């Protein structure tokens, strides 16, 4: 049995969907002549993946023409594909319920700060000017989010690539994500959905995808990291999932006629929570501003502190902030307390909030 066949069967036995890669390469094996795109990256003449009338029948016939889309766990099909061939093994991440963080070590010039961790304000983070690799950038993200280093916790399947990079493997369970390069961070590729990761222990002419450390199984994707992926638009919502929960807005602390101070406070609460929930960048800054403004209304006796804290926490969660994130909760508490020390002067009746 060839090394590639043995590895492919071992991966399939773990529930990972596999497909052939060119020997010693990360490239899927070539399409058959009928399915080969006339131009690189172009659509194949067979009409795949739009398999309407007269569309491609190669997948149904058990051929590997379409790379990751042909991935399988069928041992008989795997034996037929690899028999007599020295194919490497690709793992289809999405069908396998996996996500792989590919941390590159390319010698590229450092980009502007806004591209190091897209969507995060790093103006006051001097370490942002000293990153050089994908590992550096991921460590920076962990520090900014006050999370433990992903290189250590949770312990997960970790692979060193022949080029000096690192692959961190995670289980996504039922959550679905999309692939992307640089969207989470500079020199970080996310392999998810219809994307391929090279199977651990694969050997190439330049080296081996070597497992490092004692952990041989992917850990569950940390919740805070899943929220970061959602923040940068890499979380795909399952159509079967219920719609996002609505924010439970509390009633004002006192009741008056429409148009007076209580109505003003209720409108301000709606506006601020909607703004926080819709934030896609600078979320902590937005949470700080909203906390201060609503804290002023708490200080004026128009809103209850616990109710406002809960509403803003729920709004931040809709924007992708982990409700238990220490930095966000600290920001919110300080902002509310600062606002309460400066109660807002309420506009006269009839004024617009």
């Amino acid at each position: 049995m060839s090394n590639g066949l043995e590895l492919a069967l071992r991966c399939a036995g773990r529930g990972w969907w596999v497909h052939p890669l060119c020997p010693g390469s990360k490239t899927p094996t070539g399409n058959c002549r009928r399915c080969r795109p006339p131009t690189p990256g172009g659509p194949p003449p067979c009409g795949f993946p739009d398999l309407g009338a007269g569309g491609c029948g190669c997948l149904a016939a058990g051929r590997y023409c379409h790379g990751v889309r042909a991935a399988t766990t069928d041992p008989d099909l795997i034996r037929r594909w690899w028999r007599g061939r020295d194919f490497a093994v690709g793992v289809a991440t999405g069908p396998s319920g996996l996500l792989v963080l590919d941390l590159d070590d390319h010698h590229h010039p450092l980009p502007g700060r806004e591209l190091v961790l897209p969507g995060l304000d790093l103006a006051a983070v001097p370490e942002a000017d000293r990153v050089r690799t994908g590992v550096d950038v991921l460590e920076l993200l962990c520090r900014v989010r006050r999370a433990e280093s992903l290189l250590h916790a949770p312990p997960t399947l970790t692979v060193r690539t022949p080029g000096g990079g690192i692959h961190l493997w995670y289980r996504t369970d039922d959550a679905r994500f999309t692939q992307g390069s640089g969207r989470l961070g500079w020199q970080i590729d996310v392999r998810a959905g219809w994307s391929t990761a090279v199977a651990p222990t694969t050997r190439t002419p330049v080296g081996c995808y070597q497992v490092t450390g004692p952990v041989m199984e992917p850990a569950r994707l940390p919740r805070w990291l899943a929220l970061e992926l959602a923040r940068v638009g890499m979380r795909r919502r399952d159509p079967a999932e219920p719609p996002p929960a609505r924010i439970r807005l509390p009633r004002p602390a006192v009741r008056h006629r429409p148009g007076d101070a209580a109505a003003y406070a209720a409108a301000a609460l709606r506006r601020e929570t909607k703004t926080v929930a819709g934030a896609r960048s600078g979320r902590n800054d937005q949470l700080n501003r909203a906390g201060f403004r609503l804290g002023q209304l708490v200080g004026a006796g128009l809103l209850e502190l616990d109710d406002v804290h809960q509403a803003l926490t729920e709004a931040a969660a809709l924007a992708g902030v982990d409700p238990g994130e220490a930095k966000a909760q600290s920001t919110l508490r300080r902002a509310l307390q600062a606002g309460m020390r400066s109660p807002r002067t309420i506009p006269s009746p009839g004024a617009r909030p």
Side-chain angles (χ1 to χ4, degrees):
M1 184 184 296
S2 70
N3 290 334
L5 174 56
E6 182 180 359
L7 177 57
L9 289 172
R10 195 161 62 243
C11 290
R14 303 172 76 168
W16 297 357
W17 293 61
V18 298
H19 65 99
L21 301 177
C22 293
S25 169
K26 298 185 292 185
T27 306
T29 50
N31 299 109
C32 69
R33 183 172 300 175
R34 168 179 168 80
C35 301
R36 185 175 300 129
T39 58
C46 65
F48 181 86
D50 183 15
L51 304 181
C56 182
C58 286
L59 292 184
R63 303 189 183 99
Y64 52 75
C65 301
H66 295 287
V68 66
R69 299 274 180 169
T72 184
T73 57
D74 184 342
D76 293 333
L77 195 54
I78 291 169
R79 290 189 182 94
R80 184 169 47 146
W81 286 352
W82 266 268
R83 184 178 296 120
R85 300 179 177 92
D86 193 24
F87 289 152
V89 180
V91 176
T93 50
S96 304
L98 297 169
L99 181 145
V100 177
L101 291 185
D102 182 353
L103 311 177
D104 292 329
D105 187 11
H106 298 154
H107 299 289
H108 294 160
L110 184 67
R113 280 194 178 192
E114 69 279 1
L115 298 178
V116 172
L117 290 172
L120 298 183
D121 184 4
L122 301 178
V125 184
E127 300 98 315
D129 294 327
R130 298 195 289 269
V131 297
R132 293 294 179 268
T133 69
V135 168
D136 295 339
V137 175
L138 185 65
E139 291 283 83
L140 178 63
L141 176 62
C142 293
R143 287 196 295 272
V144 168
R145 291 305 189 204
R146 297 187 179 180
E148 193 169 355
S149 168
L150 288 173
L151 298 179
H152 304 103
T156 192
L157 175 62
T158 302
V159 176
R160 183 169 292 279
T161 73
I166 295 289
H167 288 179
L168 299 177
W169 291 62
Y170 294 102
R171 298 191 328 270
T172 60
D173 296 332
D174 295 329
R176 301 193 304 168
F177 298 89
T178 60
Q179 62 181 322
S181 177
R183 293 172 63 181
L184 181 65
W186 178 61
Q187 297 226 53
I188 298 178
D189 295 340
V190 176
R191 304 195 179 279
W194 289 114
S195 181
T196 296
V198 179
T201 73
T202 293
R203 293 190 176 276
T204 72
V206 295
C208 177
Y209 284 79
Q210 183 67 49
V211 176
T212 64
V215 180
M216 300 301 293
E217 293 295 329
R220 184 177 182 181
L221 185 71
R223 174 174 167 76
W224 77 265
L225 183 56
L227 292 170
E228 285 298 307
L229 293 166
R231 174 182 65 81
V232 297
M234 302 185 74
R235 170 76 186 268
R236 291 181 58 194
R237 183 174 173 271
D238 190 326
E241 288 182 4
R246 297 181 63 182
I247 303 169
R248 299 186 298 273
L249 295 179
R251 293 180 178 274
V254 293
R255 297 183 181 182
H256 295 282
R257 295 184 305 275
D260 65 4
Y264 176 90
L269 182 62
R270 287 194 301 271
R271 181 180 66 247
E272 297 296 346
T273 51
K274 180 179 179 180
T275 301
V276 169
R280 290 298 175 263
S281 63
R283 298 172 303 173
N284 277 323
D285 290 339
Q286 187 59 59
L287 190 60
N288 183 58
R289 287 191 291 269
F292 178 80
R293 291 166 181 164
L294 294 180
Q296 289 182 299
L297 298 179
V298 172
L302 294 173
L303 295 172
E304 296 290 347
L305 175 60
D306 290 344
D307 290 340
V308 172
H309 185 279
Q310 181 63 32
L312 286 176
T313 297
E314 292 177 4
L318 291 180
V321 177
D322 187 337
E325 182 185 312
K327 182 178 180 180
Q329 286 296 326
S330 176
T331 295
L332 179 54
R333 285 193 298 269
R334 289 198 305 268
L336 287 169
Q337 291 166 2
M340 291 167 61
R341 290 193 293 269
S342 302
R344 182 180 299 184
T345 301
I346 307 303
S348 58
R352 297 181 62 184

